[in-house]
Amino acid sequence: MTLVQSIETLIDEMSLEEKAGQLTCLPAARSRATAAAANPDQVELNETEQADAVRKGLVGSLFNGSNAGWHRRMQQIAVGESRLGIPLLFGADVIHGFETIFPVPLGEAASFDPALAERTARAAAIEASAAGLAWNFAPMVDVARDARWGRGVEGAGEDVLVGERFAAARVRGFQGRGDLSEATAMAATPKHFVGYGACIAGLDYNSVDLSERTLRETYFPPFEAGFAAGAAATMAAFNDVAGVPAHANPWLLRTVLRDEMGFDGLVVSDFTGDLELIFHGVAVDGADAARVALLGGVDMSMASGLYMAHLPALVRSGAVPESVVDAAVSRVLQLKHKLGLFDDPHRRTDKPATVDHTAHRALAREAARKSVVMLHNDGILPLAGGQRIALIGPFGEGPGNLHGPWVLFADAAKAIDLASGLRAALGNASLDVVRGCDPEGPIEGGIAAAVAAANDADVIILAVGESEAMSGEAQSRVDIGLPAAQQALADAIAATSKPIVTLLTTGRALVLGEAVARSNAILVNWFLGSEAGHALADILTGAHGPSGRLPISFPVATGQSPFYYDRKRSGRPPETLIDGEQFKTRYREMLNRAAYPFGHGLTYGEIIYLTLDLSHDELASGGTLEICATLENRGTREASELVQLYIHDRVASITPPLCQLKDWRHVTLAPGASCQVSFTLSPDQLCFVGRDCRWTTEPGLFDLWVGPSSEAGLTTSFTLLPG
Ligand code: GLC
C-alpha cells in the first residue's frame, strides 16, 4: 500500500471530529511562552484538559511547548490512548536559536553569508528537536522596507535576492539535507504568506495594498526560494492583500500557492488569523470564519480552536465539502509521515541528538561577529590597549536585550553581555560601567553619573538603541530615532568631547540624532544573541575585523519610510545633490537619500576598487557576461570585503529601479594585497515582472557597477541584445 493509499484509508476511518482535530493546533499547556501574550483570543486548555482533548483525537498539533518529557507523555496519549493512534505534531517558533541564541535574522543577514545562516539554523534544529519539536514556524521571509514596522528584525531585510538566498538557506538548515524523518529535522515554514512587511504606514497587522506585479516581483520570490528548498509548510499572513485577507484568499492560497507555485505542503493559520477574519469584517462569526478560512486554503487552524469547534457542523450542513476537509487532513498526515512520526513517534525525544553546546556557542560567536556592521570609523577602532574605558548606556550590561524580541525558550541569563565580553578581552583594564538611563526612560542622576565616568575615561563606548520590548511583533514605531531618554544621554556624553564609539542595539534601521551621528565610530550590533559580548569585544579590540553590511537602508528621517535602495527614479529625479532644486522628487527639508545605504559597511582595511572589465559590451540572449574587478587593500590590516554587483536598466516597459543587487562575493585581503573578483551575469538575472504580470527581459542598455555598497563602486555599461 502506498503512503497516499494508507493515508486515504486512515481518513476513511476518521470521524468528522477527528478530522477537525487533525486540523487543529493549540498552544501547548506546558509552555514557557504564554501564547496569550500574543493574542488573548486563543483557546487555552490546562494540561488535563489538553491531555483529554488529545485522547479524544480533537487536537493534532501543539505549539510552543519545550519540555521533552511532557511532549513524550502527550505523544504517548495520542498514539497509545486515542482511537486511531495518530501521532501529535509539536511545533514552535525557533526563529534564531533554541537554547543557544544566534543573532536575530536581520543581523545575521548582515553577514551576507547564507551558508552561515544554514549552519545556525541547523544548530537550532538540533537543539529544538531534542525537546521533541518537529515543526518550526520559521524562517520569516517577509521583505521589509518600512523601518517603522517592528518585525523586520525576523527577516532578511529589504532586498529580494538576499531574501531568496537566506530563505533557502534557513529552510535547508532547519530541515537538514537528509530526510525529514531524521531525528534532528524540523519542518520549515516560510512565513507570512504574503506581503506582511508592506503593511501600510509600517503599522503591524494593517492593510497591504500592492499591485499583483509588485507582489510577484518583490514579495513572492523569497517564498518561492524557500519552497524550492523543500519547505514542508507555510503560514498565512495576518493582513489583507488588496482587500482580501490572506487567511481567506483562494487566489493567494490556491491559485498562486498551489496551482502556480506547485506548493503541496501544509498551510497553517498565523495564530488566530482565522478568528481575526471576523475583525477584518469578512466573517460573521467563528463558524463563518472557519468556513472562509478552510475554503480560502488554510489547512490548519492555530490557537483559535475554530476548526475543532465548527468544521463537523459545517460539513454536516453542506457549507463545507468534506472533500476539502479530507484534502487538508491528507496534507497534515503526509507531513507527519514525512517527519517519521508514524514510524517512530518518540524518535526526537527518546533518541535526542547529542547537542554540542560548546560548538554551538562558538558558532554563535562567529555569527555574531559576522553580523556587526561598522557604519563609521575615524580610526578610533580597533581600541588601543591600556585605555580607560567608560561603558555607558542601557545596553552595556545586564542579561536583557541580547537575545532579541522573539526568543521563547532560552535563558537570557546565559547570554554574554558587552561588559563581560570586554572584561574577558581586556583583562583588568579600566572599565567603568554606567547605565545612564533606561531604554525608554531617565534614571535619577543617571546622566550626571555617566558624564562623570566619561570625563574620567580615555574613550567612551555608548551602548544605545532599541530594547527587545521595542522590537518585533506589534512594535511599530512612529519615530525610529532613539527614545528621548537615550537621546538626552547621548547629547550629554557628546558634550564631553571625549572620543565615542557608539553601538546600536536594534532590530530595525534607526534614525541617528546629531550627537550619535558625530561619534568617532558607529557600529550596528542588532541583537547578537548568546555570545553578544564576546563577539563585540572581538571586533572592538581588533581580534577580528568587522565584515557585516547593511541588509536594510538607514534613512535620515522617519518621514522617508518606507525607504529602500531599489526605489524608482520617478519622473522628476533630483539631478544634483545640491539643495534648492525645486519641483523634484525630494522633501522640502532634504533630499530623499540614505544616511547609510543598503550594502554599506566598513572594515579595518582600506579597500580600493581599481579596475572593472566586462568580457563583452553586448550580452546575447543565450550568452553570459563575465565581469571582473580588481581590488587592493591599502590599509594596514587584513579586511573582509563584500564585493557587490548591481545593475540599472536604463529603459524598460516598467519603470526600472535605481539599481538592483545581482550577486556578491566575500573576499579577504591582507594589507597591501590585491585580487580579482569575477561575476557571471546572464539575461535571466535581468528579468522583471512586466505589464502582463509575467517575468520578462527586454533588450537595451544597462548600467553595471561593482562596489562596496548600493551607492559606491566602479561603473560601466553593456547592451542586452534582443532574444
Ligand atoms: C505570532 C506570529 C507568527 C508566529 C505565531 C505562533 O503571532 O505572527 O510569526 O509563528 O504567532 O507563535
Side-chain angles (χ1 to χ4, degrees):
M1 183 185 286
T2 66
L3 173 59
V4 172
Q5 287 168 332
S6 65
I7 286 174
E8 284 170 357
T9 303
L10 179 53
I11 290 173
D12 288 345
E13 294 176 42
M14 294 170 73
S15 67
L16 283 174
E17 286 68 23
E18 287 164 335
K19 292 178 180 179
Q22 288 304 308
L23 305 185
T24 295
C25 179
L26 293 182
R30 170 86 60 96
S31 167
R32 290 184 60 180
T34 51
N39 188 308
D41 298 316
Q42 42 85 33
V43 169
E44 219 167 327
L45 303 177
N46 65 35
E47 293 193 32
T48 305
E49 290 164 336
Q50 199 154 84
D52 195 45
V54 169
R55 193 174 289 110
K56 291 173 182 170
L58 300 180
V59 56
S61 301
L62 298 172
F63 76 97
N64 283 349
S66 61
N67 180 288
W70 182 77
H71 278 150
R72 194 188 192 292
R73 282 199 303 281
M74 294 300 281
Q75 192 67 284
Q76 183 51 47
I77 292 170
V79 299
E81 299 176 31
S82 73
R83 188 176 75 89
L84 294 170
I86 299 173
L88 285 169
L89 175 56
F90 298 116
D93 292 283
V94 183
I95 309 297
H96 54 103
F98 185 68
E99 295 148 333
T100 308
I101 302 303
F102 302 99
V104 289
L106 183 62
E108 191 178 67
S111 71
F112 280 76
D113 186 348
L116 173 71
E118 181 172 347
R119 290 162 57 206
T120 60
R122 186 85 294 267
I126 287 169
E127 292 185 359
S129 57
L133 295 167
W135 181 21
N136 196 356
F137 305 149
M140 187 275 220
V141 302
D142 301 306
V143 170
R145 306 183 140 190
D146 192 326
R148 293 171 295 181
W149 189 51
R151 298 197 72 171
V153 64
E154 299 173 48
E158 68 190 48
D159 181 69
V160 176
L161 182 62
V162 174
E164 290 176 296
R165 290 182 176 176
F166 274 82
R170 286 168 173 155
V171 165
R172 288 193 298 268
F174 291 134
Q175 299 198 161
R177 295 267 184 158
D179 192 282
L180 264 186
S181 64
E182 291 178 18
T184 64
M186 293 182 82
T189 314
K191 66 183 183 181
H192 310 77
F193 198 73
V194 74
Y196 188 18
C199 48
I200 292 172
L203 183 57
D204 208 348
Y205 316 119
N206 203 9
S207 283
V208 168
D209 210 340
L210 296 165
S211 67
E212 180 183 340
R213 207 198 65 75
T214 299
L215 276 175
R216 290 180 181 281
E217 188 169 85
T218 303
Y219 294 90
F220 287 176
F223 285 92
E224 292 170 293
F227 299 152
T234 190
M235 181 182 287
F238 282 129
N239 51 278
D240 63 351
V241 182
V244 182
H247 279 74
N249 197 321
W251 178 74
L252 271 183
L253 298 183
R254 295 188 187 282
T255 306
V256 172
L257 186 64
R258 303 282 187 207
D259 301 345
E260 283 186 28
M261 295 182 181
F263 180 69
D264 62 359
L266 179 67
V267 177
V268 65
S269 74
D270 183 352
F271 213 80
T272 52
D274 51 358
L275 174 67
E276 293 167 27
L277 294 171
I278 300 170
F279 308 117
H280 273 292
V282 298
V284 173
D285 54 22
D288 196 28
R291 180 183 64 83
V292 294
L294 186 77
L295 295 178
V298 176
D299 295 318
M300 183 186 282
S301 166
M302 177 196 290
S304 71
L306 288 185
Y307 284 17
M308 176 174 67
H310 299 293
L311 279 190
L314 286 166
V315 171
R316 291 189 177 104
S317 71
V320 169
E322 187 161 5
S323 60
V324 175
V325 172
D326 290 353
V329 172
S330 176
R331 283 189 281 268
V332 172
L333 297 179
Q334 285 179 57
L335 179 55
K336 291 183 176 183
H337 265 288
K338 286 174 184 172
L339 289 165
L341 295 174
F342 278 94
D343 295 339
D344 182 354
H346 306 299
R347 177 173 299 157
R348 288 172 176 78
T349 49
D350 289 4
K351 308 176 192 70
T354 306
V355 179
D356 183 346
H357 285 105
T358 303
H360 288 184
R361 293 289 297 217
L363 176 59
R365 184 166 180 167
E366 175 194 351
R369 276 199 304 268
K370 291 179 176 178
S371 302
V372 173
V373 181
M374 186 159 74
L375 300 182
H376 170 67
N377 180 27
D378 68 359
I380 191 174
L381 292 179
L383 294 172
Q387 291 173 299
R388 293 172 303 164
I389 299 171
L391 174 55
I392 292 169
F395 304 117
E397 188 170 51
N401 303 308
L402 299 167
H403 280 168
W406 201 253
V407 171
L408 307 180
F409 310 106
D411 180 354
K414 291 184 179 174
I416 305 298
D417 65 16
L418 177 54
S420 306
L422 284 171
R423 288 192 184 102
L426 298 173
N428 57 5
S430 163
L431 179 68
D432 189 2
V433 182
V434 179
R435 188 174 176 84
C437 70
D438 286 329
E440 295 183 85
I443 294 174
E444 184 67 33
I447 289 183
V451 168
N455 286 328
D456 289 345
D458 300 318
V459 62
I460 296 154
I461 297 177
L462 181 64
V464 292
E466 280 190 330
S467 64
E468 289 165 342
M470 295 169 65
S471 178
E473 183 170 352
Q475 299 309 321
S476 294
R477 296 179 62 200
V478 290
D479 177 351
I480 57 174
L482 290 182
Q486 292 189 54
Q487 194 57 58
L489 175 66
D491 292 343
I493 295 303
T496 66
S497 301
K498 290 276 187 166
I500 301 172
V501 175
T502 295
L503 304 183
L504 299 173
T505 293
T506 186
R508 74 180 89 209
L510 293 174
V511 166
L512 306 183
E514 181 59 30
V516 169
R518 284 205 323 262
S519 302
N520 300 77
I522 305 171
L523 290 91
V524 184
N525 53 283
W526 316 104
F527 296 99
L528 289 177
S530 300
E531 287 291 312
H534 288 319
L536 274 171
D538 289 344
I539 300 287
L540 293 170
T541 61
H544 289 263
S547 57
R549 293 294 187 282
L550 288 179
I552 48 174
S553 308
F554 271 50
V556 173
T558 303
Q560 294 174 264
S561 305
F563 185 84
Y564 46 97
Y565 84 96
D566 58 338
R567 58 191 181 276
K568 301 303 183 78
R569 286 167 58 89
S570 87
R572 293 198 174 198
E575 297 308 327
T576 67
L577 292 182
I578 49 172
D579 262 346
E581 272 193 299
Q582 297 299 311
F583 301 101
K584 295 290 186 183
T585 309
R586 51 159 298 139
Y587 294 95
R588 179 177 178 74
E589 304 87 342
M590 51 179 274
L591 289 169
N592 187 37
R593 60 179 180 78
Y596 296 98
F598 172 84
H600 173 73
L602 301 178
T603 71
Y604 285 151
E606 186 187 345
I607 305 298
I608 308 296
Y609 286 71
L610 299 173
T611 63
L612 174 59
D613 299 299
L614 302 183
S615 55
H616 308 82
D617 294 335
E618 295 177 336
L619 174 56
S621 63
T624 56
L625 199 58
E626 303 303 320
I627 302 143
C628 183
T630 307
L631 285 69
E632 181 182 345
N633 178 1
R634 291 190 181 151
T636 58
R637 285 181 56 103
E638 179 183 90
S640 294
E641 175 71 358
L642 186 79
V643 184
Q644 302 157 50
L645 170 65
Y646 293 89
I647 62 106
H648 167 64
D649 189 344
R650 292 272 186 93
V651 178
S653 58
I654 295 291
T655 49
L658 283 175
C659 69
Q660 277 190 313
L661 180 68
K662 292 302 173 184
D663 206 351
W664 65 80
R665 294 280 185 281
H666 289 274
V667 293
T668 299
L669 281 175
S674 60
C675 72
Q676 288 197 326
V677 178
S678 301
F679 297 94
T680 298
L681 194 67
S682 61
D684 62 1
Q685 289 173 273
L686 305 176
C687 61
F688 60 92
V689 175
R691 296 184 183 183
D692 61 357
C693 282
R694 295 176 183 282
W695 286 95
T696 185
T697 54
E698 293 175 359
L701 193 56
F702 285 77
D703 297 313
L704 175 150
W705 62 96
V706 171
S709 83
S710 56
E711 291 189 357
L714 300 177
T715 185
T716 183
S717 61
F718 68 93
T719 300
L720 176 64
L721 298 175

Coordinates of all heavy atoms in Angstrom, one line a residue, residues 38-39 63-64 92-93 95 137-138 140 151 154 191-192 196 205 235 238 269-272 302 406 408 473, ligand 1:
A38 N 0.5 36.9 23.0 CA 0.5 37.3 21.6 C -1.0 37.7 21.2 O -1.2 38.5 20.4 CB 1.0 36.2 20.7
N39 N -1.9 37.0 21.8 CA -3.3 37.3 21.4 C -4.2 36.7 22.5 O -4.2 35.5 22.7 CB -3.6 36.7 20.1 CG -4.9 37.1 19.5 OD1 -5.9 37.0 20.2 ND2 -4.9 37.7 18.3
F63 N 1.8 23.7 20.0 CA 2.9 24.5 19.7 C 3.4 25.3 20.9 O 2.7 25.6 21.8 CB 2.6 25.5 18.5 CG 1.7 26.6 18.8 CD1 2.3 27.9 19.1 CD2 0.4 26.5 18.9 CE1 1.5 29.0 19.4 CE2 -0.5 27.6 19.1 CZ 0.1 28.9 19.4
N64 N 4.7 25.6 20.8 CA 5.5 26.4 21.8 C 5.6 25.7 23.1 O 5.8 26.4 24.1 CB 5.0 27.8 21.8 CG 5.5 28.6 20.6 OD1 6.4 28.1 19.9 ND2 5.0 29.8 20.4
A92 N 6.9 25.0 17.0 CA 7.4 26.1 17.8 C 8.0 27.2 16.9 O 8.4 26.9 15.8 CB 8.4 25.7 18.9
D93 N 8.1 28.4 17.6 CA 8.9 29.5 16.9 C 10.3 29.4 17.4 O 10.7 29.9 18.4 CB 8.3 30.8 17.4 CG 6.9 31.1 16.8 OD1 6.8 31.4 15.7 OD2 5.9 30.9 17.6
I95 N 13.1 30.8 15.9 CA 13.4 31.8 14.8 C 14.9 31.9 14.6 O 15.4 31.9 13.5 CB 12.8 33.2 15.2 CG1 11.4 33.1 15.5 CG2 13.0 34.1 14.0 CD1 10.5 32.6 14.5
F137 N 8.1 27.2 13.0 CA 7.4 28.3 12.4 C 8.4 29.4 11.9 O 8.4 30.5 12.4 CB 6.4 28.9 13.3 CG 5.4 28.0 13.9 CD1 4.9 28.2 15.2 CD2 5.0 26.8 13.2 CE1 4.0 27.3 15.8 CE2 4.1 25.9 13.8 CZ 3.6 26.2 15.0
A138 N 9.3 28.9 11.1 CA 10.4 29.8 10.6 C 10.9 29.1 9.3 O 10.7 27.9 9.1 CB 11.5 29.9 11.6
M140 N 11.1 33.4 8.8 CA 10.3 34.5 8.3 C 11.0 35.1 7.1 O 12.1 35.5 7.2 CB 10.2 35.5 9.5 CG 9.3 36.7 9.2 SD 10.1 38.0 8.3 CE 9.5 39.4 9.1
R151 N 8.7 44.1 12.8 CA 9.1 42.7 12.5 C 10.1 42.5 11.5 O 10.5 41.3 11.2 CB 7.8 41.9 12.1 CG 6.8 41.9 13.3 CD 5.7 40.8 13.1 NE 6.3 39.5 13.4 CZ 5.5 38.4 13.5 NH1 4.2 38.5 13.3 NH2 6.1 37.2 13.7
E154 N 12.9 39.9 12.1 CA 12.9 38.5 12.0 C 13.3 38.0 10.6 O 13.3 36.8 10.4 CB 11.4 38.0 12.3 CG 10.9 38.3 13.6 CD 9.4 37.9 13.7 OE1 9.0 36.8 13.3 OE2 8.7 38.8 14.2
K191 N 7.3 32.1 6.2 CA 6.1 32.9 6.6 C 6.4 34.3 6.4 O 7.6 34.7 6.2 CB 5.8 32.6 8.1 CG 6.8 33.1 9.1 CD 6.5 32.7 10.5 CE 7.5 33.2 11.5 NZ 7.2 32.8 12.9
H192 N 5.4 35.2 6.3 CA 4.0 35.0 6.4 C 3.4 35.3 5.0 O 3.6 36.4 4.5 CB 3.4 36.0 7.4 CG 4.1 36.0 8.8 ND1 5.3 36.6 9.0 CD2 3.8 35.4 9.9 CE1 5.7 36.4 10.2 NE2 4.8 35.7 10.9
Y196 N 3.3 40.8 4.2 CA 3.1 41.3 5.6 C 4.0 42.5 5.9 O 3.6 43.5 6.5 CB 3.4 40.2 6.6 CG 3.1 40.3 8.0 CD1 2.3 41.3 8.5 CD2 3.7 39.5 8.9 CE1 2.1 41.5 9.9 CE2 3.5 39.6 10.3 CZ 2.7 40.6 10.8 OH 2.4 40.7 12.1
Y205 N -0.1 44.5 11.3 CA -1.4 43.9 11.1 C -2.3 44.8 10.2 O -3.4 44.5 9.8 CB -2.2 43.7 12.4 CG -1.4 43.1 13.5 CD1 -1.3 43.8 14.7 CD2 -0.9 41.9 13.4 CE1 -0.6 43.3 15.8 CE2 -0.2 41.3 14.5 CZ 0.0 42.0 15.7 OH 0.7 41.5 16.7
M235 N 2.8 29.6 6.3 CA 1.9 30.2 7.2 C 1.3 31.4 6.6 O 2.0 32.3 6.0 CB 2.7 30.7 8.5 CG 1.8 31.3 9.6 SD 2.7 31.8 11.0 CE 3.1 30.2 11.8
F238 N -1.3 37.7 8.6 CA -2.5 38.3 9.2 C -3.2 39.3 8.4 O -4.4 39.5 8.5 CB -2.0 39.1 10.5 CG -1.6 38.3 11.7 CD1 -0.4 38.5 12.3 CD2 -2.5 37.4 12.2 CE1 0.0 37.7 13.4 CE2 -2.2 36.6 13.3 CZ -0.9 36.8 13.9
S269 N -2.7 28.6 9.8 CA -3.0 30.0 10.1 C -1.9 30.6 10.9 O -1.2 29.9 11.6 CB -4.3 30.0 10.9 OG -4.1 29.6 12.2
D270 N -1.8 31.9 10.9 CA -0.9 32.5 11.8 C -1.7 32.8 13.0 O -2.7 33.6 13.0 CB -0.4 33.9 11.2 CG 0.6 34.5 12.2 OD1 0.7 34.0 13.3 OD2 1.3 35.5 11.8
F271 N -1.4 32.1 14.1 CA -2.1 32.2 15.4 C -3.6 32.3 15.1 O -4.1 31.4 14.4 CB -1.6 33.5 16.1 CG -1.6 33.3 17.6 CD1 -0.6 32.6 18.2 CD2 -2.6 33.8 18.3 CE1 -0.6 32.5 19.6 CE2 -2.7 33.6 19.7 CZ -1.7 33.0 20.3
T272 N -4.3 33.3 15.6 CA -5.8 33.3 15.4 C -6.1 34.0 14.2 O -7.2 34.7 14.1 CB -6.3 34.0 16.6 OG1 -5.7 35.3 16.8 CG2 -6.2 33.2 17.9
M302 N -4.5 27.5 13.9 CA -3.7 27.6 15.1 C -4.3 28.5 16.1 O -4.8 29.6 15.8 CB -2.3 28.2 14.7 CG -1.4 28.4 15.8 SD 0.0 29.5 15.5 CE 0.9 28.5 14.3
W406 N 12.1 37.8 20.0 CA 11.2 36.6 19.7 C 12.1 35.3 20.1 O 12.3 34.4 19.3 CB 10.8 36.5 18.3 CG 9.6 35.7 18.0 CD1 9.6 34.5 17.4 CD2 8.2 35.9 18.4 NE1 8.3 33.9 17.3 CE2 7.5 34.8 17.9 CE3 7.6 36.9 19.0 CZ2 6.1 34.7 18.1 CZ3 6.2 36.8 19.2 CH2 5.5 35.7 18.8
L408 N 11.9 32.3 22.8 CA 10.9 31.8 23.8 C 11.4 30.9 24.8 O 10.8 30.6 25.8 CB 9.7 31.2 23.0 CG 9.1 32.0 21.9 CD1 8.0 31.2 21.2 CD2 8.5 33.3 22.4
E473 N 7.1 41.8 16.9 CA 5.6 41.9 16.6 C 4.9 42.9 17.5 O 5.2 43.1 18.7 CB 5.0 40.5 16.8 CG 3.5 40.5 16.5 CD 2.9 39.1 16.4 OE1 3.6 38.1 16.6 OE2 1.6 39.1 16.3
Ligands
GLC1 C1 2.7 35.0 16.0 C2 3.4 35.4 14.7 C3 3.9 34.2 14.0 C4 4.2 33.0 15.0 C5 2.8 32.6 15.6 C6 3.0 31.5 16.6 O1 1.6 35.9 16.2 O2 2.8 36.2 13.8 O3 5.1 34.6 13.3 O4 4.7 31.9 14.3 O5 2.2 33.7 16.2 O6 3.7 31.9 17.7

